[in-house]
Amino acid sequence: MNEKLDQQFFDVNFDLRDNKYEPIKTIGNGAYGVVCLAHHRKTGTNVAIKKIVNVFEHFLIGMRTYREIKILRHLVNHENIITIRDVFLNSNNSKDVYIVFDYMDTDLKRVLESNQTLTNDHIKYFTYQILNGLAFIHQTGIIHRDLKPSNILVSQTCSIKIADFGMARQYRDHDQTQYVVTRWYRAPEVILGYTEYSQAIDLWSVGCILAEMFGRKPIFSGTNTIAQIQLIFIILGTPTKAYLQSLHSDCFRRLILSVGNRQPANFKALYPNATDDGIDLLRQLLVIDPEQRISTNAALQHSFVNEFVVKLDDGDECAMDTDTDKFDFGFESEKWTLEQLQSAIHDEINRFQVRSSKSNTNGDDELTSNNDKLATHDAPIESHHQVVIVDSSPSEASSTATKLEIDTTRLAEKKRKHRRRKHGLHHHHHSKRLTSTMCTDEKASSGDTNDDDINNPS
């Protein structure tokens, strides 16, 4: 995003005086907007509200907003994907859109930048949840395209939700842009100009995140695209002749060969505190050839994370979601004018207002029930790990640490839910929305930006 848009979309105030939400403080930046912590005046429930200003003045901003609302409404109520609770316009004008999300205490980037110790139990549990949410996303035919630690939200009970779907697109086998994914987490096939990339690019990003959890710093932190390519092949070694011959560009081929004949780095030496199965999963995620890279379903079967996969009864198959609807990306091919896009966004907003009106008529509220509510501590505990998560910058870490637990009692509750589903006690529509538990650029000094997103919206 350029400097002009930075100022326009991030220098904003939250004016909610006549609204049901009361802002508390600004907590961060999302895609094309500022996020504040707020609470619902009636219920006292904490929420995160993203304000996107002047949505209808720029087609790209409007389309990103529309896309994110549509996708998250489709992915509703998965425990590892952020949920939209409400959408509304500024009461004083019709240009600013507010999107209300579940409130999460921090994000993985801030955790990794703190002095918090991450045990292998943390890393296993975080990795499982990222893969679990990603598996559901991929089942719907979606590629997230911007997985990175700042888009992985973390609660005080160590639950994780994937956020920020502004870059998400439909999986197709041709004509996809390379201007996706923050540079440090961008798969080599994207950097090297392929337009046939698949959902495997998200798995590469997961591998980068896993390495960062092991080492507390990005594994591929190139200061520009060329440096990024070189760093990937310095660490992962010289690719095969077949791979080099498959490249579309002689320039990229020469660039890769310029790093010399290298053997893959010893991940165990790089990450001495990582377990052997953690290193093995990392190797299968950070594979140069996307055809050989592990899939989400296979990754969830890996010994590093499969202790968290819900199984029903002895001898039973693993609980799976197999009836998930594909997301309809038909609107992407529409030749909408800015006015038509504005009308489509208004339609989406009206859906939430109708739902809110029905809830109020029934004496209920959309924020009083939490589909991701943890089981109580008197429920059977399969395992408990004492942990500490710091929601602060490194300089504040020592004074704001909070002692928490990885509460895996949620697995027992998920097991009960899936058993009820198996015996037909849940309506089919709701079964598509329950937890999926599978068995089977740039700024020269930072990779925390997306390249040329303004000029390459597809």
Side-chain angles (χ1 to χ4, degrees):
M1 189 181 302
N2 61 35
E3 184 177 351
K4 182 178 179 180
L5 284 175
D6 278 346
Q7 295 173 350
Q8 182 174 358
F9 289 96
F10 293 132
D11 186 17
V12 300
N13 295 313
F14 286 81
D15 183 6
L16 302 176
R17 286 172 293 182
D18 300 323
N19 198 273
K20 57 188 173 183
Y21 304 101
E22 181 177 353
I24 299 173
K25 63 179 180 179
T26 300
I27 56 176
N29 296 336
Y32 291 82
V34 170
V35 182
C36 83
L37 167 63
H39 73 258
H40 191 275
R41 298 179 194 272
K42 179 180 177 181
T43 66
T45 304
N46 283 341
V47 295
I49 303 180
K50 179 161 71 173
K51 180 180 180 180
I52 311 168
V53 304
N54 298 328
V55 169
F56 307 116
E57 293 184 6
H58 298 271
F59 190 89
L60 175 60
I61 309 303
M63 181 55 77
R64 281 183 65 117
T65 302
Y66 180 70
R67 183 187 300 115
E68 183 169 24
I69 295 171
K70 288 275 289 185
I71 288 176
L72 286 177
R73 193 162 59 78
H74 185 82
L75 299 175
V76 66
N77 290 344
H78 188 285
E79 68 171 357
N80 298 128
I81 300 171
I82 197 69
T83 298
I84 288 184
R85 297 297 181 181
D86 197 2
V87 183
F88 58 91
L89 294 172
N90 190 311
S91 59
N92 297 323
N93 63 64
S94 59
K95 297 179 180 179
D96 303 339
V97 173
Y98 292 83
I99 306 178
V100 182
F101 299 95
D102 294 327
Y103 173 69
M104 302 290 282
D105 299 288
T106 187
D107 60 59
L108 191 56
K109 181 177 186 288
R110 294 171 71 183
V111 171
L112 291 170
E113 290 176 347
S114 74
N115 62 4
Q116 158 68 43
T117 298
L118 286 186
T119 68
N120 273 293
D121 284 332
H122 288 100
I123 297 172
K124 284 183 181 183
Y125 193 43
F126 289 168
T127 303
Y128 159 72
Q129 292 179 86
I130 295 169
L131 289 169
N132 191 43
L134 190 59
F136 190 73
I137 293 166
H138 285 180
Q139 285 181 72
T140 65
I142 294 171
I143 312 177
H144 186 282
R145 302 204 319 171
D146 197 20
L147 284 178
K148 55 185 177 182
S150 60
N151 286 341
I152 307 297
L153 307 183
V154 185
S155 77
Q156 288 190 351
T157 52
C158 298
S159 65
I160 269 180
K161 292 182 185 290
I162 298 172
D164 205 336
F165 285 77
M167 293 294 294
R169 296 293 190 279
Q170 180 181 22
Y171 166 60
R172 59 182 190 267
D173 59 5
H174 64 285
D175 297 334
Q176 308 223 66
T177 176
Q178 72 185 81
Y179 295 99
V180 299
V181 189
T182 301
R183 186 198 318 122
W184 292 351
Y185 308 92
R186 190 178 301 167
E189 63 267 28
V190 179
I191 302 175
L192 295 172
Y194 282 76
T195 59
E196 303 88 4
Y197 59 78
S198 69
Q199 292 169 328
I201 70 170
D202 287 339
L203 276 301
W204 176 273
S205 300
V206 175
C208 295
I209 294 169
L210 178 56
E212 193 165 344
M213 287 192 285
F214 283 144
R216 303 306 288 264
K217 62 181 181 180
I219 183 172
F220 307 119
S221 53
T223 55
N224 54 54
T225 298
I226 292 175
Q228 188 72 16
I229 295 172
Q230 291 175 323
L231 190 56
I232 287 172
F233 290 97
I234 287 171
I235 293 177
L236 297 185
T238 306
T240 64
K241 290 183 178 180
Y243 178 84
L244 289 169
Q245 290 172 355
S246 72
L247 296 178
H248 301 315
S249 168
D250 287 337
C251 178
F252 282 132
R253 191 177 297 112
R254 290 193 299 270
L255 181 61
I256 293 170
L257 291 174
S258 72
V259 304
N261 187 18
R262 291 180 176 269
Q263 295 299 312
N266 184 339
F267 280 157
K268 189 60 179 176
L270 284 176
Y271 308 118
N273 295 324
T275 60
D276 290 343
D277 54 356
I279 293 295
D280 184 71
L281 178 57
L282 180 61
R283 287 197 184 103
Q284 295 190 54
L285 289 164
L286 295 182
V287 173
I288 295 294
D289 185 350
E291 296 295 326
Q292 303 301 317
R293 202 172 298 150
I294 195 170
S295 67
T296 48
N297 291 357
L300 282 165
Q301 297 181 63
H302 195 279
S303 59
F304 185 62
V305 297
N306 68 2
E307 67 181 275
F308 296 108
V309 176
V310 174
K311 297 178 175 62
L312 298 178
D313 300 308
D314 291 341
D316 247 335
E317 294 182 355
C318 295
M320 296 181 66
D321 255 328
T322 57
D323 56 357
T324 304
D325 291 333
K326 297 291 185 182
F327 180 74
D328 184 4
F329 276 92
F331 65 89
E332 297 278 10
S333 60
E334 296 287 344
K335 303 298 182 182
W336 280 345
T337 64
L338 191 57
E339 290 72 21
Q340 289 172 318
L341 177 59
Q342 179 176 352
S343 177
I345 293 174
H346 277 286
D347 287 344
E348 288 298 319
I349 292 171
N350 289 337
R351 290 176 183 270
F352 283 90
Q353 303 316 307
V354 169
R355 185 186 68 174
S356 179
S357 297
K358 288 181 178 179
S359 297
N360 291 335
T361 300
N362 295 332
D364 197 1
D365 191 277
E366 70 271 18
L367 292 171
T368 58
S369 62
N370 186 351
N371 291 290
D372 193 35
K373 188 175 181 179
L374 294 178
T376 57
H377 285 279
D378 57 0
I381 298 177
E382 298 182 19
S383 63
H384 250 25
H385 308 290
Q386 296 292 327
V387 303
V388 176
I389 292 295
V390 176
D391 181 11
S392 65
S393 63
S395 61
E396 301 170 323
S398 59
S399 62
T400 58
T402 303
K403 191 171 184 178
L404 305 169
E405 290 180 342
I406 296 177
D407 191 345
T408 52
T409 59
R410 66 171 57 233
L411 300 183
E413 176 60 24
K414 286 163 62 176
K415 181 175 178 178
R416 288 192 289 271
K417 283 183 179 180
H418 281 284
R419 185 180 290 111
R420 290 196 297 269
R421 292 174 63 195
K422 181 181 177 182
H423 294 294
L425 298 181
H426 278 221
H427 191 280
H428 177 71
H429 173 75
H430 293 294
S431 73
K432 295 181 180 181
R433 295 293 177 249
L434 292 175
T435 300
S436 168
T437 52
M438 307 295 297
C439 180
T440 9
D441 120 83
E442 305 174 13
K443 294 180 181 179
S445 62
S446 172
D448 199 18
T449 58
N450 283 310
D451 290 342
D452 299 335
D453 185 36
I454 295 296
N455 298 318
N456 296 274
S458 62

